[in-house]
Coordinates of all heavy atoms in Angstrom, one line a residue:
I1 N 0.8 -1.2 0.0 CA 0.0 0.0 0.0 C 0.9 1.2 0.0 O 0.6 2.2 -0.7 CB -1.0 0.0 1.2 CG1 -2.0 -1.1 1.0 CG2 -1.7 1.3 1.3 CD1 -2.9 -1.3 2.2
A2 N 2.0 1.2 0.8 CA 2.8 2.4 0.8 C 3.4 2.7 -0.6 O 3.5 3.8 -1.0 CB 3.9 2.2 1.8
T3 N 3.8 1.6 -1.3 CA 4.3 1.8 -2.7 C 3.3 2.5 -3.5 O 3.6 3.4 -4.3 CB 4.7 0.5 -3.3 OG1 5.7 -0.1 -2.4 CG2 5.3 0.7 -4.6
G4 N 2.0 2.1 -3.5 CA 1.0 2.7 -4.2 C 0.8 4.2 -3.9 O 0.5 5.0 -4.8
Y5 N 0.9 4.5 -2.6 CA 0.8 5.9 -2.2 C 1.9 6.8 -2.8 O 1.6 7.8 -3.4 CB 0.9 6.0 -0.7 CG 1.0 7.4 -0.1 CD1 -0.2 8.1 0.0 CD2 2.2 7.9 0.2 CE1 -0.1 9.4 0.5 CE2 2.3 9.2 0.7 CZ 1.1 10.0 0.8 OH 1.2 11.3 1.3
F6 N 3.1 6.3 -2.8 CA 4.2 7.1 -3.4 C 4.1 7.2 -4.9 O 4.4 8.2 -5.5 CB 5.6 6.5 -3.0 CG 5.8 6.8 -1.5 CD1 5.9 5.7 -0.6 CD2 6.0 8.1 -1.0 CE1 6.1 6.0 0.7 CE2 6.2 8.3 0.3 CZ 6.3 7.3 1.2
L7 N 3.7 6.1 -5.6 CA 3.4 6.1 -7.0 C 2.3 7.2 -7.3 O 2.5 7.9 -8.3 CB 3.1 4.8 -7.6 CG 4.2 3.8 -7.7 CD1 3.7 2.4 -8.1 CD2 5.2 4.3 -8.7
S8 N 1.3 7.2 -6.5 CA 0.2 8.1 -6.8 C 0.7 9.5 -6.6 O 0.3 10.4 -7.4 CB -0.9 7.8 -5.7 OG -1.9 8.8 -5.9
K9 N 1.5 9.8 -5.6 CA 2.1 11.2 -5.5 C 3.0 11.5 -6.6 O 2.9 12.7 -7.1 CB 2.8 11.3 -4.1 CG 1.9 11.2 -2.9 CD 1.0 12.4 -2.9 CE 0.0 12.4 -1.8 NZ -1.1 13.4 -1.9
A10 N 3.8 10.6 -7.1 CA 4.6 10.9 -8.3 C 3.8 11.1 -9.5 O 4.1 12.1 -10.3 CB 5.6 9.7 -8.5
N11 N 2.7 10.4 -9.7 CA 1.8 10.6 -10.8 C 1.1 12.0 -10.7 O 1.0 12.7 -11.7 CB 0.7 9.5 -10.9 CG 1.2 8.2 -11.2 OD1 2.4 8.0 -11.7 ND2 0.4 7.2 -11.1
D12 N 0.7 12.4 -9.5 CA 0.1 13.7 -9.3 C 1.1 14.8 -9.7 O 0.7 15.8 -10.3 CB -0.4 13.9 -7.9 CG -1.6 13.1 -7.6 OD1 -2.3 12.6 -8.5 OD2 -1.9 13.0 -6.4
K13 N 2.4 14.6 -9.3 CA 3.4 15.6 -9.6 C 3.6 15.8 -11.2 O 3.7 16.9 -11.7 CB 4.7 15.3 -9.0 CG 4.7 15.6 -7.5 CD 6.1 15.4 -6.9 CE 6.1 15.8 -5.4 NZ 7.4 15.6 -4.8
E14 N 3.6 14.6 -11.8 CA 3.7 14.6 -13.3 C 2.5 15.3 -14.0 O 2.7 16.1 -14.9 CB 3.9 13.2 -13.9 CG 4.1 13.3 -15.4 CD 4.7 12.0 -16.0 OE1 5.4 11.2 -15.3 OE2 4.4 11.8 -17.2
L15 N 1.3 15.0 -13.5 CA 0.1 15.6 -14.0 C 0.1 17.1 -13.8 O -0.3 17.9 -14.6 CB -1.1 14.9 -13.5 CG -1.3 13.5 -14.0 CD1 -2.5 12.9 -13.3 CD2 -1.5 13.4 -15.5
D16 N 0.6 17.5 -12.6 CA 0.7 19.0 -12.3 C 1.6 19.7 -13.2 O 1.4 20.8 -13.7 CB 1.1 19.2 -10.8 CG 0.1 18.9 -9.8 OD1 -1.1 18.8 -10.2 OD2 0.4 18.8 -8.6
A17 N 2.8 19.0 -13.5 CA 3.8 19.6 -14.4 C 3.5 19.6 -15.9 O 3.8 20.5 -16.6 CB 5.2 19.0 -14.1
F18 N 2.9 18.5 -16.3 CA 2.7 18.3 -17.8 C 1.3 18.0 -18.2 O 1.0 17.5 -19.3 CB 3.6 17.1 -18.2 CG 5.0 17.2 -17.9 CD1 5.6 16.5 -16.8 CD2 5.8 18.1 -18.6 CE1 6.9 16.7 -16.5 CE2 7.2 18.3 -18.3 CZ 7.7 17.6 -17.3
G19 N 0.3 18.3 -17.3 CA -1.1 18.0 -17.5 C -1.7 18.7 -18.7 O -1.5 19.9 -18.9
V20 N -2.5 18.0 -19.5 CA -3.3 18.5 -20.6 C -4.7 18.0 -20.4 O -4.9 16.9 -20.0 CB -2.7 18.0 -21.9 CG1 -3.5 18.5 -23.1 CG2 -1.3 18.3 -22.1
Q21 N -5.7 18.9 -20.6 CA -7.1 18.5 -20.4 C -7.7 17.9 -21.7 O -7.4 18.3 -22.8 CB -7.9 19.7 -20.0 CG -7.7 20.2 -18.6 CD -8.7 21.3 -18.2 OE1 -9.3 21.9 -19.1 NE2 -8.7 21.5 -16.9
T22 N -8.6 16.9 -21.5 CA -9.4 16.4 -22.5 C -10.7 15.9 -21.9 O -10.9 16.1 -20.7 CB -8.7 15.3 -23.3 OG1 -9.4 14.9 -24.5 CG2 -8.4 14.0 -22.5
E23 N -11.5 15.2 -22.7 CA -12.7 14.6 -22.2 C -12.6 13.1 -22.1 O -12.1 12.5 -23.0 CB -13.8 15.0 -23.2 CG -15.2 14.6 -22.8 CD -16.2 15.0 -23.8 OE1 -16.2 16.2 -24.2 OE2 -17.0 14.2 -24.3
G24 N -13.2 12.5 -21.1 CA -13.2 11.1 -21.0 C -14.6 10.5 -20.7 O -15.5 11.3 -20.2
V25 N -14.8 9.3 -21.0 CA -16.1 8.6 -20.7 C -15.9 7.4 -19.9 O -15.0 6.6 -20.1 CB -16.8 8.3 -22.1 CG1 -16.0 7.3 -22.9 CG2 -18.2 7.8 -21.8
V26 N -16.8 7.2 -18.9 CA -16.8 6.1 -18.0 C -17.3 4.9 -18.8 O -18.4 4.9 -19.4 CB -17.7 6.3 -16.8 CG1 -17.8 5.0 -15.9 CG2 -17.2 7.5 -16.0
V27 N -16.5 3.8 -18.8 CA -16.9 2.6 -19.6 C -17.2 1.4 -18.7 O -17.8 0.4 -19.2 CB -15.8 2.2 -20.7 CG1 -15.8 3.3 -21.7 CG2 -14.5 2.0 -20.1
Q28 N -16.7 1.4 -17.4 CA -17.0 0.3 -16.6 C -16.8 0.7 -15.1 O -16.0 1.5 -14.8 CB -16.0 -0.9 -16.9 CG -16.2 -2.1 -16.1 CD -15.2 -3.2 -16.4 OE1 -14.1 -2.9 -17.0 NE2 -15.5 -4.4 -16.1
I29 N -17.6 0.1 -14.2 CA -17.5 0.3 -12.8 C -17.3 -1.1 -12.2 O -18.1 -2.0 -12.5 CB -18.7 1.0 -12.3 CG1 -18.8 2.4 -12.9 CG2 -18.6 1.1 -10.7 CD1 -20.1 3.1 -12.6
S30 N -16.4 -1.2 -11.3 CA -16.2 -2.5 -10.6 C -15.9 -2.3 -9.1 O -15.4 -1.3 -8.7 CB -15.0 -3.3 -11.3 OG -13.8 -2.5 -11.2
H31 N -16.1 -3.4 -8.4 CA -15.8 -3.4 -6.9 C -14.6 -4.3 -6.7 O -14.5 -5.4 -7.2 CB -17.0 -3.9 -6.1 CG -16.7 -4.0 -4.7 ND1 -16.8 -2.8 -3.9 CD2 -16.4 -4.9 -3.9 CE1 -16.5 -3.1 -2.7 NE2 -16.2 -4.4 -2.6
R32 N -13.6 -3.7 -6.0 CA -12.4 -4.5 -5.6 C -12.5 -4.8 -4.1 O -12.6 -3.9 -3.3 CB -11.2 -3.7 -6.0 CG -11.0 -3.6 -7.4 CD -9.7 -3.0 -7.8 NE -9.6 -2.7 -9.2 CZ -8.7 -2.0 -9.7 NH1 -7.7 -1.4 -9.0 NH2 -8.7 -1.8 -11.0
M33 N -12.3 -6.1 -3.8 CA -12.4 -6.5 -2.4 C -11.5 -5.7 -1.5 O -10.3 -5.5 -1.8 CB -12.0 -8.0 -2.3 CG -12.4 -8.6 -1.1 SD -14.1 -9.1 -1.3 CE -14.1 -10.6 -0.4
N34 N -12.1 -5.1 -0.5 CA -11.4 -4.3 0.5 C -10.8 -3.0 0.0 O -10.0 -2.3 0.7 CB -10.3 -5.1 1.2 CG -10.8 -6.3 1.9 OD1 -11.9 -6.2 2.5 ND2 -10.1 -7.4 1.9
R35 N -11.0 -2.7 -1.3 CA -10.5 -1.4 -1.9 C -11.5 -0.5 -2.4 O -11.2 0.7 -2.7 CB -9.5 -1.8 -3.0 CG -8.3 -2.6 -2.4 CD -7.1 -2.7 -3.4 NE -6.6 -1.4 -3.7 CZ -6.0 -1.2 -4.9 NH1 -5.9 -2.1 -5.8 NH2 -5.5 0.0 -5.1
G36 N -12.7 -0.9 -2.5 CA -13.8 0.0 -2.9 C -14.2 -0.1 -4.4 O -13.8 -1.1 -5.1
E37 N -14.8 0.9 -4.8 CA -15.3 1.0 -6.2 C -14.3 1.7 -7.1 O -13.7 2.7 -6.7 CB -16.6 1.8 -6.2 CG -17.7 1.2 -5.4 CD -18.3 0.0 -6.0 OE1 -18.4 -0.2 -7.2 OE2 -18.7 -0.9 -5.1
F38 N -14.1 1.1 -8.3 CA -13.2 1.7 -9.3 C -13.9 1.9 -10.6 O -14.9 1.2 -10.9 CB -12.0 0.7 -9.5 CG -11.0 0.8 -8.4 CD1 -11.2 0.2 -7.2 CD2 -9.8 1.4 -8.7 CE1 -10.3 0.3 -6.2 CE2 -8.8 1.5 -7.7 CZ -9.1 1.0 -6.4
V39 N -13.5 2.9 -11.3 CA -14.0 3.2 -12.6 C -12.9 3.1 -13.6 O -11.8 3.4 -13.4 CB -14.6 4.7 -12.6 CG1 -13.5 5.7 -12.3 CG2 -15.3 5.0 -13.8
R40 N -13.4 2.5 -14.8 CA -12.5 2.5 -16.0 C -13.0 3.5 -16.9 O -14.2 3.5 -17.2 CB -12.5 1.1 -16.6 CG -11.7 1.0 -17.9 CD -11.6 -0.4 -18.4 NE -10.8 -1.2 -17.5 CZ -10.5 -2.4 -17.6 NH1 -11.0 -3.1 -18.6 NH2 -9.7 -3.1 -16.8
Y41 N -12.2 4.3 -17.5 CA -12.6 5.3 -18.4 C -11.7 5.3 -19.6 O -10.5 4.8 -19.6 CB -12.7 6.7 -17.8 CG -11.4 7.2 -17.2 CD1 -10.5 8.0 -17.9 CD2 -11.0 6.9 -15.9 CE1 -9.3 8.4 -17.4 CE2 -9.9 7.3 -15.3 CZ -9.0 8.1 -16.1 OH -7.8 8.6 -15.5
E42 N -12.2 5.9 -20.7 CA -11.5 6.0 -22.0 C -11.4 7.5 -22.4 O -12.3 8.3 -22.1 CB -12.1 5.3 -23.1 CG -12.2 3.8 -22.9 CD -12.9 3.0 -24.0 OE1 -13.7 3.7 -24.8 OE2 -12.7 1.8 -24.0
Y43 N -10.3 7.8 -23.0 CA -10.1 9.2 -23.6 C -9.2 9.1 -24.8 O -8.5 8.0 -25.0 CB -9.5 10.1 -22.5 CG -8.2 9.6 -21.9 CD1 -7.0 10.2 -22.4 CD2 -8.2 8.7 -20.9 CE1 -5.8 9.7 -21.8 CE2 -7.0 8.2 -20.4 CZ -5.8 8.8 -20.8 OH -4.6 8.3 -20.3
V44 N -9.2 10.1 -25.7 CA -8.4 10.0 -26.9 C -7.4 11.2 -26.9 O -7.8 12.3 -26.6 CB -9.4 10.1 -28.1 CG1 -8.6 10.2 -29.4 CG2 -10.4 9.0 -28.1
V45 N -6.2 10.8 -27.3 CA -5.1 11.8 -27.5 C -4.5 11.6 -28.9 O -4.0 10.5 -29.2 CB -4.0 11.6 -26.4 CG1 -2.9 12.6 -26.6 CG2 -4.6 11.8 -25.0
N46 N -4.6 12.6 -29.7 CA -4.0 12.6 -31.0 C -4.5 11.3 -31.8 O -3.7 10.6 -32.4 CB -2.5 12.6 -31.0 CG -1.9 13.9 -30.4 OD1 -2.5 15.0 -30.6 ND2 -0.9 13.8 -29.6
G47 N -5.8 11.0 -31.7 CA -6.3 9.9 -32.4 C -6.1 8.6 -31.8 O -6.7 7.6 -32.3
E48 N -5.4 8.5 -30.7 CA -5.2 7.2 -30.1 C -6.0 7.1 -28.8 O -6.0 8.0 -28.0 CB -3.7 7.0 -29.7 CG -3.4 5.6 -29.2 CD -1.9 5.4 -29.0 OE1 -1.1 6.2 -29.6 OE2 -1.5 4.4 -28.4
K49 N -6.7 6.0 -28.6 CA -7.6 5.8 -27.5 C -6.8 5.2 -26.3 O -6.0 4.2 -26.5 CB -8.7 4.8 -27.8 CG -9.8 4.7 -26.7 CD -10.8 3.6 -26.9 CE -11.7 4.0 -28.1 NZ -12.8 3.1 -28.3
Y50 N -7.0 5.7 -25.1 CA -6.4 5.3 -23.9 C -7.4 4.9 -22.9 O -8.5 5.4 -22.9 CB -5.5 6.4 -23.3 CG -4.3 6.7 -24.1 CD1 -4.3 7.7 -25.1 CD2 -3.1 6.0 -23.9 CE1 -3.2 8.0 -25.9 CE2 -2.0 6.4 -24.7 CZ -2.1 7.3 -25.7 OH -1.0 7.7 -26.4
T51 N -7.1 3.9 -22.1 CA -8.0 3.4 -21.0 C -7.2 3.5 -19.7 O -6.0 3.1 -19.6 CB -8.4 2.0 -21.2 OG1 -9.1 1.9 -22.5 CG2 -9.4 1.5 -20.2
Y52 N -7.9 4.0 -18.6 CA -7.2 4.1 -17.3 C -8.2 3.8 -16.3 O -9.4 3.9 -16.5 CB -6.7 5.5 -17.2 CG -5.5 5.6 -16.1 CD1 -4.2 5.2 -16.5 CD2 -5.8 6.1 -14.9 CE1 -3.2 5.3 -15.6 CE2 -4.7 6.2 -14.0 CZ -3.5 5.8 -14.3 OH -2.4 6.0 -13.4
E53 N -7.8 3.3 -15.1 CA -8.6 3.0 -14.0 C -8.2 3.9 -12.8 O -7.1 4.1 -12.6 CB -8.6 1.6 -13.6 CG -9.2 0.6 -14.6 CD -9.2 -0.8 -14.1 OE1 -8.7 -1.1 -13.0 OE2 -9.8 -1.6 -14.8
Q54 N -9.2 4.2 -12.0 CA -9.0 4.9 -10.7 C -10.1 4.7 -9.8 O -11.2 4.3 -10.2 CB -8.7 6.4 -10.9 CG -9.9 7.2 -11.1 CD -9.6 8.7 -11.4 OE1 -8.7 9.0 -12.2 NE2 -10.2 9.6 -10.6
Q55 N -9.8 4.9 -8.5 CA -10.8 4.7 -7.5 C -11.9 5.8 -7.6 O -11.5 7.0 -7.8 CB -10.2 4.7 -6.1 CG -11.2 4.2 -5.0 CD -10.5 3.9 -3.8 OE1 -9.3 4.2 -3.5 NE2 -11.1 3.1 -2.9
M56 N -13.1 5.5 -7.4 CA -14.2 6.5 -7.5 C -14.3 7.3 -6.2 O -14.1 6.7 -5.1 CB -15.5 5.8 -7.8 CG -15.6 5.2 -9.1 SD -17.1 4.2 -9.4 CE -18.3 4.8 -8.3
N57 N -14.5 8.5 -6.3 CA -14.8 9.3 -5.1 C -16.2 9.9 -5.0 O -16.4 10.8 -4.2 CB -13.7 10.4 -4.9 CG -13.7 11.4 -6.1 OD1 -14.6 11.4 -6.9 ND2 -12.6 12.2 -6.1
R58 N -17.0 9.5 -5.9 CA -18.4 9.8 -5.9 C -19.2 8.9 -6.8 O -18.6 8.1 -7.6 CB -18.6 11.3 -6.4 CG -18.3 11.5 -7.9 CD -18.7 12.8 -8.4 NE -20.1 12.6 -8.8 CZ -20.6 13.3 -9.8 NH1 -19.9 14.2 -10.5 NH2 -21.9 13.1 -10.2
E59 N -20.5 8.9 -6.8 CA -21.3 8.0 -7.6 C -21.3 8.4 -9.0 O -21.5 9.6 -9.3 CB -22.7 8.0 -7.0 CG -23.7 7.1 -7.7 CD -23.9 5.8 -7.0 OE1 -23.5 5.7 -5.9 OE2 -24.5 5.0 -7.7
V60 N -21.0 7.5 -9.9 CA -21.0 7.8 -11.4 C -21.7 6.7 -12.1 O -21.8 5.6 -11.5 CB -19.6 8.1 -12.0 CG1 -18.9 9.3 -11.3 CG2 -18.7 6.8 -11.9
R61 N -22.0 6.9 -13.3 CA -22.6 5.8 -14.2 C -21.9 5.6 -15.4 O -21.2 6.6 -16.0 CB -24.1 6.2 -14.5 CG -25.0 6.3 -13.4 CD -26.4 6.5 -13.9 NE -27.1 7.3 -12.8 CZ -28.0 8.2 -13.1 NH1 -28.3 8.5 -14.3 NH2 -28.5 8.9 -12.1
V62 N -21.9 4.4 -16.0 CA -21.3 4.1 -17.3 C -21.9 5.1 -18.3 O -23.1 5.3 -18.3 CB -21.5 2.7 -17.6 CG1 -21.1 2.4 -19.1 CG2 -20.8 1.7 -16.7
G63 N -21.1 5.7 -19.1 CA -21.6 6.6 -20.1 C -21.4 8.1 -19.8 O -21.4 8.9 -20.6
E64 N -21.2 8.3 -18.5 CA -21.0 9.7 -18.1 C -19.7 10.2 -18.5 O -18.7 9.4 -18.6 CB -21.1 9.9 -16.5 CG -22.5 9.9 -16.0 CD -22.6 10.2 -14.5 OE1 -22.3 9.4 -13.7 OE2 -22.9 11.4 -14.3
R65 N -19.6 11.5 -18.8 CA -18.4 12.1 -19.3 C -17.9 13.2 -18.3 O -18.7 13.9 -17.7 CB -18.7 12.8 -20.7 CG -19.0 11.9 -21.7 CD -19.3 12.6 -23.1 NE -19.5 11.6 -24.1 CZ -18.6 10.9 -24.7 NH1 -17.3 11.2 -24.5 NH2 -18.9 10.0 -25.7
F66 N -16.5 13.2 -18.1 CA -15.9 14.1 -17.2 C -14.6 14.6 -17.9 O -14.1 13.9 -18.8 CB -15.5 13.4 -15.9 CG -16.7 12.9 -15.1 CD1 -17.3 11.7 -15.3 CD2 -17.4 13.8 -14.2 CE1 -18.4 11.2 -14.6 CE2 -18.5 13.4 -13.5 CZ -19.0 12.1 -13.7
E67 N -14.1 15.7 -17.4 CA -12.8 16.1 -17.8 C -11.7 15.2 -17.3 O -11.9 14.6 -16.3 CB -12.5 17.5 -17.3 CG -13.2 18.6 -18.0 CD -12.7 20.0 -17.5 OE1 -11.6 20.2 -17.0 OE2 -13.5 21.0 -17.7
V68 N -10.7 15.0 -18.1 CA -9.6 14.1 -17.8 C -8.3 15.0 -18.0 O -8.2 15.7 -18.9 CB -9.5 12.9 -18.7 CG1 -8.2 12.1 -18.6 CG2 -10.7 12.0 -18.4
I69 N -7.4 14.8 -17.0 CA -6.1 15.4 -17.2 C -5.1 14.3 -17.5 O -5.1 13.3 -16.8 CB -5.6 16.1 -15.8 CG1 -6.6 17.2 -15.4 CG2 -4.2 16.6 -16.0 CD1 -6.6 18.4 -16.3
Y70 N -4.3 14.4 -18.6 CA -3.3 13.4 -18.9 C -2.0 14.1 -19.0 O -1.9 15.3 -19.2 CB -3.7 12.6 -20.2 CG -3.6 13.4 -21.4 CD1 -2.4 13.5 -22.1 CD2 -4.7 14.1 -21.9 CE1 -2.4 14.3 -23.3 CE2 -4.7 14.9 -23.0 CZ -3.5 15.0 -23.7 OH -3.4 15.7 -24.9
S71 N -0.9 13.3 -18.9 CA 0.4 13.8 -19.0 C 0.8 14.0 -20.5 O 0.7 13.0 -21.3 CB 1.4 12.8 -18.3 OG 2.7 13.2 -18.7
G72 N 1.2 15.2 -20.8 CA 1.7 15.4 -22.2 C 3.0 14.6 -22.5 O 3.3 14.4 -23.6
K73 N 3.7 14.2 -21.5 CA 4.9 13.4 -21.6 C 4.6 11.9 -21.8 O 5.3 11.2 -22.5 CB 5.8 13.5 -20.4 CG 6.8 14.7 -20.4 CD 7.6 14.7 -19.2 CE 8.3 13.4 -18.8 NZ 9.2 13.6 -17.7
N74 N 3.5 11.5 -21.1 CA 3.1 10.1 -21.1 C 1.6 10.0 -21.1 O 1.0 9.9 -20.0 CB 3.7 9.4 -19.9 CG 3.3 7.9 -19.8 OD1 2.7 7.4 -20.7 ND2 3.6 7.3 -18.7
P75 N 0.9 10.1 -22.2 CA -0.5 10.1 -22.3 C -1.2 8.9 -21.6 O -2.4 9.0 -21.3 CB -0.9 10.2 -23.8 CG 0.4 10.7 -24.4 CD 1.5 10.2 -23.6
K76 N -0.5 7.9 -21.3 CA -1.1 6.7 -20.6 C -1.5 7.1 -19.2 O -2.3 6.4 -18.6 CB -0.2 5.5 -20.6 CG 0.0 4.9 -22.0 CD 1.0 3.7 -21.9 CE 1.2 3.2 -23.3 NZ 2.2 2.1 -23.2
L77 N -0.8 8.1 -18.6 CA -1.0 8.5 -17.3 C -2.1 9.6 -17.2 O -2.0 10.6 -17.9 CB 0.3 9.1 -16.7 CG 0.2 9.6 -15.3 CD1 -0.2 8.6 -14.3 CD2 1.6 10.2 -14.9
S78 N -3.1 9.4 -16.4 CA -4.2 10.3 -16.4 C -5.0 10.3 -15.1 O -4.8 9.4 -14.3 CB -5.2 10.1 -17.6 OG -5.9 8.9 -17.4
K79 N -5.9 11.2 -15.0 CA -6.8 11.3 -13.8 C -8.1 11.9 -14.3 O -8.2 12.9 -14.9 CB -6.2 12.2 -12.7 CG -7.1 12.3 -11.5 CD -6.6 13.3 -10.5 CE -5.5 12.6 -9.7 NZ -5.0 13.4 -8.5
M80 N -9.2 11.2 -14.0 CA -10.6 11.7 -14.3 C -11.0 12.6 -13.1 O -10.8 12.3 -12.0 CB -11.6 10.5 -14.4 CG -13.0 11.0 -14.8 SD -14.0 9.6 -15.3 CE -13.8 9.8 -17.1
L81 N -11.5 13.8 -13.5 CA -12.0 14.8 -12.6 C -13.5 14.7 -12.4 O -14.2 15.3 -13.2 CB -11.5 16.2 -13.1 CG -10.1 16.3 -13.4 CD1 -9.8 17.7 -14.0 CD2 -9.2 16.1 -12.2
F82 N -13.9 13.9 -11.4 CA -15.3 13.7 -11.2 C -16.1 14.9 -10.8 O -17.3 15.0 -10.9 CB -15.5 12.6 -10.1 CG -14.9 11.3 -10.4 CD1 -13.8 10.8 -9.7 CD2 -15.4 10.5 -11.5 CE1 -13.3 9.5 -10.0 CE2 -14.9 9.3 -11.8 CZ -13.8 8.8 -11.1
N83 N -15.4 16.0 -10.4 CA -16.1 17.2 -10.0 C -16.2 18.1 -11.3 O -16.7 19.3 -11.1 CB -15.3 18.0 -8.9 CG -13.9 18.4 -9.3 OD1 -13.3 17.7 -10.2 ND2 -13.4 19.4 -8.7
R84 N -15.9 17.7 -12.5 CA -16.0 18.4 -13.7 C -16.7 17.7 -14.8 O -16.1 17.2 -15.8 CB -14.6 18.9 -14.2 CG -13.9 19.8 -13.2 CD -12.7 20.4 -13.8 NE -12.0 21.2 -12.8 CZ -10.8 21.6 -13.0 NH1 -10.1 21.3 -14.1 NH2 -10.2 22.3 -12.1
P85 N -18.0 17.5 -14.6 CA -18.7 16.8 -15.7 C -18.8 17.5 -17.0 O -18.7 18.8 -17.0 CB -20.1 16.6 -15.1 CG -20.2 17.7 -14.1 CD -18.9 17.9 -13.6
V86 N -18.8 16.8 -18.1 CA -18.9 17.4 -19.4 C -20.3 17.1 -19.9 O -20.8 16.0 -19.9 CB -17.9 16.8 -20.4 CG1 -18.1 17.3 -21.8 CG2 -16.5 17.0 -19.9
K87 N -21.0 18.1 -20.4 CA -22.4 18.0 -20.9 C -22.4 17.8 -22.4 O -21.7 18.2 -23.1 CB -23.2 19.2 -20.5 CG -23.0 19.5 -19.0 CD -24.3 19.4 -18.3 CE -24.0 19.7 -16.9 NZ -24.8 19.3 -15.9

């Protein structure tokens, strides 16, 4: 768990330094034993589709769209912003 914490902080720093905004869509919601609810989402960068997972911090539904911040250095790294829905 400690390793995951430090990786998460490193990812946050990279997104702060190189973050680019786009739009993402929730494609799956799953429950992980003892870890809570996770969301899988997709987003497109320069015509290439990326998929990422993160723990949910609010109720969402498959098909909902939110802003996503991804790393301009490494587009595979991203974070969905559940407080910024896209209409």
Side-chain angles (χ1 to χ4, degrees):
I1 294 176
T3 302
Y5 172 81
F6 290 113
L7 284 175
S8 176
K9 289 297 176 191
N11 290 350
D12 286 346
K13 283 184 179 183
E14 182 166 333
L15 292 174
D16 285 344
F18 304 103
V20 179
Q21 287 187 344
T22 192
E23 180 180 313
V25 62
V26 176
V27 295
Q28 183 180 20
I29 297 170
S30 61
H31 180 78
R32 294 189 185 165
M33 195 82 144
N34 300 321
R35 295 192 63 210
E37 302 288 327
F38 280 74
V39 64
R40 176 176 289 180
Y41 59 92
E42 295 178 345
Y43 57 101
V44 177
V45 176
N46 296 324
E48 187 171 345
K49 187 186 293 185
Y50 292 89
T51 303
Y52 203 77
E53 290 186 353
Q54 77 183 52
Q55 193 164 17
M56 292 174 21
N57 59 12
R58 66 167 274 212
E59 182 98 10
V60 299
R61 292 187 213 144
V62 171
E64 281 190 279
R65 296 180 174 280
F66 297 90
E67 283 187 22
V68 169
I69 301 292
Y70 68 89
S71 168
K73 271 179 54 175
N74 177 11
K76 291 179 184 178
L77 176 62
S78 68
K79 178 186 280 189
M80 182 167 264
L81 305 176
F82 296 114
N83 62 335
R84 295 188 185 169
V86 175
K87 308 246 178 196

